[in-house]
Amino acid sequence: MMSYKKLAVEPYTQWEPEVASPSSACGPATMAALAEYWSTQQGQDFIQGSSHFHSKAAHINYIYRHHGGTPWGMSARGFKKGMKAYLRAPLDTKENRRRKISITTFNDFDLYKKEIEADRPVAIKFDKWSTLRWRGKYVYDYHWVMGIGYEETSDGEGLTLILLDNGARTLDGRYNPSRERRVDYVINKDILTMVALNIEKM
């Protein structure tokens, strides 16, 4: 037996031609996808989602320039700071200010599962460099992705993250759009940081 849940999250691709700094845009692409989900799927229409920009690439570029994008990537701390700043920018009305924004970091499958069960996708960073796990064989050495679901076997041994990977550049210089991937949590857990967002009316 297996428990399973997957959320409908609009994918963002960091390698689209209009993205200004595609090789280091995985963090901004993940942030944009998270904002878009909360704007359209959670009814938080004060958030500037893709409809505010002329394209998803423009959305990514805006976040990259104004909310923490750098040529060397985005730290989990930078992601949290950038996400808070992005969400708080349009809170200029009395109604909008009556919202509590919570952003937490963790690395725990049960907590991740609770977020998915509550219909809240989770940003996930793979980073073997800052965790000093240089010799491990992980799905990614360094990369931000969007966690949109999970699979768990009844014995608790099989723990799988369902991700949107933000796309990839191909050897011929083209790109593949963001796609769904299934990743073993246990194999990769030592280099993961999970960032969860919740928005509540006060």
Side-chain angles (χ1 to χ4, degrees):
M1 295 290 292
M2 178 180 293
S3 59
Y4 162 89
K5 183 167 182 175
K6 185 177 75 172
L7 305 178
V9 178
E10 182 72 19
Y12 273 65
T13 300
Q14 72 188 86
W15 294 100
E16 290 187 14
E18 295 83 8
V19 174
S21 303
S23 62
S24 56
C26 56
T30 302
M31 196 183 296
L34 190 57
E36 178 70 7
Y37 177 87
W38 277 88
S39 177
T40 60
Q41 302 299 315
Q42 292 282 13
Q44 302 290 342
D45 54 6
F46 75 95
I47 299 173
Q48 296 177 349
S50 62
S51 61
H52 183 80
F53 303 89
H54 68 268
S55 68
K56 289 182 180 179
H59 194 184
I60 294 170
N61 289 338
Y62 177 85
I63 289 175
Y64 191 104
R65 287 194 305 270
H66 300 285
H67 297 291
T70 70
W72 50 88
M74 181 181 282
S75 67
R77 183 177 179 182
F79 188 100
K80 289 177 66 178
K81 182 179 178 181
M83 189 86 245
K84 281 185 178 180
Y86 181 79
L87 294 175
R88 292 196 182 280
L91 293 178
D92 57 358
T93 68
K94 185 176 181 180
E95 181 182 354
N96 283 349
R97 282 195 294 268
R98 296 172 61 187
R99 285 180 168 87
K100 179 182 178 183
I101 297 172
S102 302
I103 302 178
T104 57
T105 57
F106 55 89
N107 181 5
D108 181 273
F109 188 86
D110 288 336
L111 291 178
Y112 171 80
K113 179 180 173 181
K114 286 180 181 178
E115 291 298 309
I116 299 300
E117 290 290 347
D119 296 326
R120 298 191 292 261
V122 177
I124 301 175
K125 184 186 182 188
F126 291 72
D127 184 359
K128 78 176 188 179
W129 308 116
S130 65
T131 56
L132 306 180
R133 301 281 181 170
W134 302 328
R135 297 186 180 183
K137 293 184 178 179
Y138 308 106
V139 173
Y140 302 107
D141 292 342
Y142 184 97
H143 192 41
W144 280 98
V145 298
M146 179 63 75
I148 63 168
Y150 72 89
E151 293 175 349
E152 180 181 17
T153 57
S154 57
D155 59 8
E157 295 296 321
L159 306 178
T160 301
L161 306 173
I162 305 175
L163 315 172
L164 291 175
D165 69 0
N166 289 323
R169 175 172 280 175
T170 61
L171 294 176
D172 61 4
R174 301 179 184 180
Y175 74 92
N176 292 323
S178 181
R179 67 188 178 97
E180 187 179 304
R181 296 192 64 177
R182 280 165 167 74
V183 171
D184 188 294
Y185 170 73
V186 174
I187 291 174
N188 294 277
K189 69 177 181 177
D190 289 338
I191 67 164
L192 298 181
T193 302
M194 299 173 169
V195 182
L197 169 65
N198 192 19
I199 303 173
E200 301 173 291
K201 284 195 174 183
M202 294 185 291

